[in-house]
Amino acid sequence: MVAIAGTLAAAELPKSAEVKDTGKLIIANTLEYAPFEFIDENGKQVGINIELAQETAKLLGAELEVTRIPFPSMVPGLAAGRFKVAWETFAATDDRLKQVDFVMFIKSGIVASTTADKASQFQGENNLCGKRVGVIGGAVSDFIADRLSGECKEKGLPEIAKSIFPEGKDIIQAALSDRIDARLDDATASGYFEVTSKGQMVVVPGLYDVAPLGIAIPKGDKETADMLAAGVNELIKNGTYKTIMAKYGMTSAMIDEAYVVDSADKIRK
């Protein structure tokens, strides 16, 4: 666990019982998924999710405590009551909505990226058919890979050879070492890596399932939902949200208002 100090803020936000009792905003988060969370050259936790959580904790007058958990374990952990906030970029799928609710705070889509020397092999339609593609287990890209592979099969084309990894960094290493042909992942993270890696991997044509993304919380936990939505909306109002998003070149992924989703009909496209 890593503790990060928060300070009292002028904004009076609703607080969950856990925050009132412990004085802490406790979140589950993965270790390495730039630009959302990663360790910088000084060994400091940074990234969009971490920094937004830090600023929300400050508004609550609370201490931020981060527990590192693999992405596929987050929804089961919430459903089992092991923690109350998984501050990640989840899509609100039907299966997930049976177990958890969400506070939407960003939007994105899914893209494929590959090494620069292979980019010419990914032009035109159906460019993933027959390719070795890496995804994070349980993430939206996992389900999209299955759907696209089915479409390949329907068209009489080779199916996608899907490989599942626990973290985004593992997919990147597999691609760079030629164990897979492409990474299928969030457009924001993929574009960020293309820039910071100076083109080691490049995004190829195709954008899938543009959708809002959110923080996951236990099913029916209204007080946590209201607290996080109010916190993020205060950051939107005071300009902190835009500052953090702009810092990572992510202003195109901003939304105008954070909101709670507890059923599919509440998702705003």
Side-chain angles (χ1 to χ4, degrees), residues 145-161:
D146 290 341
R147 188 190 79 201
L148 294 175
S149 187
E151 292 175 0
C152 293
K153 184 177 180 180
E154 289 175 1
K155 295 174 182 178
L157 298 170
E159 296 178 62
I160 292 171

Side-chain angles (χ1 to χ4, degrees), residues 1-258:
M1 290 188 181
V2 183
I4 302 169
T7 58
L8 288 173
E12 289 297 327
L13 300 179
K15 297 180 183 180
S16 68
E18 180 178 72
V19 171
K20 289 177 183 177
D21 292 343
T22 66
K24 297 179 180 180
L25 175 60
I26 303 169
I27 69 169
N29 181 258
T30 61
L31 178 60
E32 191 77 19
Y33 189 53
F36 298 104
E37 52 268 323
F38 59 101
I39 305 299
D40 69 11
E41 62 274 11
N42 299 315
K44 181 183 177 183
Q45 295 182 94
V46 294
I48 291 168
N49 289 338
I50 293 296
E51 292 169 43
L52 287 175
Q54 288 172 339
E55 294 300 326
T56 300
K58 289 179 183 179
L59 291 173
L60 294 168
E63 178 184 25
L64 178 65
E65 185 172 281
V66 182
T67 301
R68 301 301 184 184
I69 296 175
F71 186 87
S73 301
M74 288 187 175
V75 169
L78 286 165
R82 291 197 287 273
F83 45 87
K84 291 185 175 294
V85 178
W87 200 307
E88 276 299 338
T89 50
F90 289 94
T93 65
D94 289 337
D95 285 343
R96 287 174 177 164
L97 282 166
K98 294 174 184 176
Q99 303 178 74
V100 298
D101 296 333
F102 299 93
V103 177
M104 298 307 189
F105 72 102
I106 198 171
K107 65 183 178 181
S108 188
I110 301 296
V111 296
S113 57
T114 188
T115 51
D117 62 304
K118 291 181 180 176
S120 62
Q121 302 172 27
F122 287 82
Q123 302 305 309
E125 295 184 12
N126 311 308
N127 59 0
L128 297 182
C129 296
K131 301 294 195 304
R132 301 169 298 164
V133 174
V135 300
I136 296 174
V140 176
S141 55
D142 189 356
F143 306 110
I144 290 177
D146 290 341
R147 188 190 79 201
L148 294 175
S149 187
E151 292 175 0
C152 293
K153 184 177 180 180
E154 289 175 1
K155 295 174 182 178
L157 298 170
E159 296 178 62
I160 292 171
K162 183 179 75 173
S163 295
I164 295 176
F165 297 86
E167 304 283 352
K169 63 179 180 179
D170 301 315
I171 306 176
I172 292 169
Q173 288 304 314
L176 294 177
S177 60
D178 196 34
R179 288 181 285 130
I180 59 173
D181 298 313
R183 168 195 188 191
L184 191 64
D185 208 343
D186 182 85
T188 51
S190 299
Y192 178 79
F193 184 76
E194 178 175 347
V195 172
T196 57
S197 71
K198 296 181 171 58
Q200 280 187 289
M201 293 190 69
V202 296
V203 175
V204 299
L207 178 63
Y208 312 100
D209 286 27
V210 177
L213 304 174
I215 306 159
I217 56 176
K219 195 70 187 172
D221 188 349
K222 186 175 185 301
E223 66 173 16
T224 298
D226 290 346
M227 174 183 70
L228 293 176
V232 174
N233 279 326
E234 179 63 25
L235 297 179
I236 291 172
K237 180 180 177 181
N238 69 25
T240 303
Y241 173 81
K242 183 175 182 180
T243 297
I244 292 172
M245 297 292 280
K247 176 180 176 181
Y248 293 99
M250 298 276 287
T251 54
S252 63
M254 296 193 309
I255 62 175
D256 296 329
E257 179 186 29

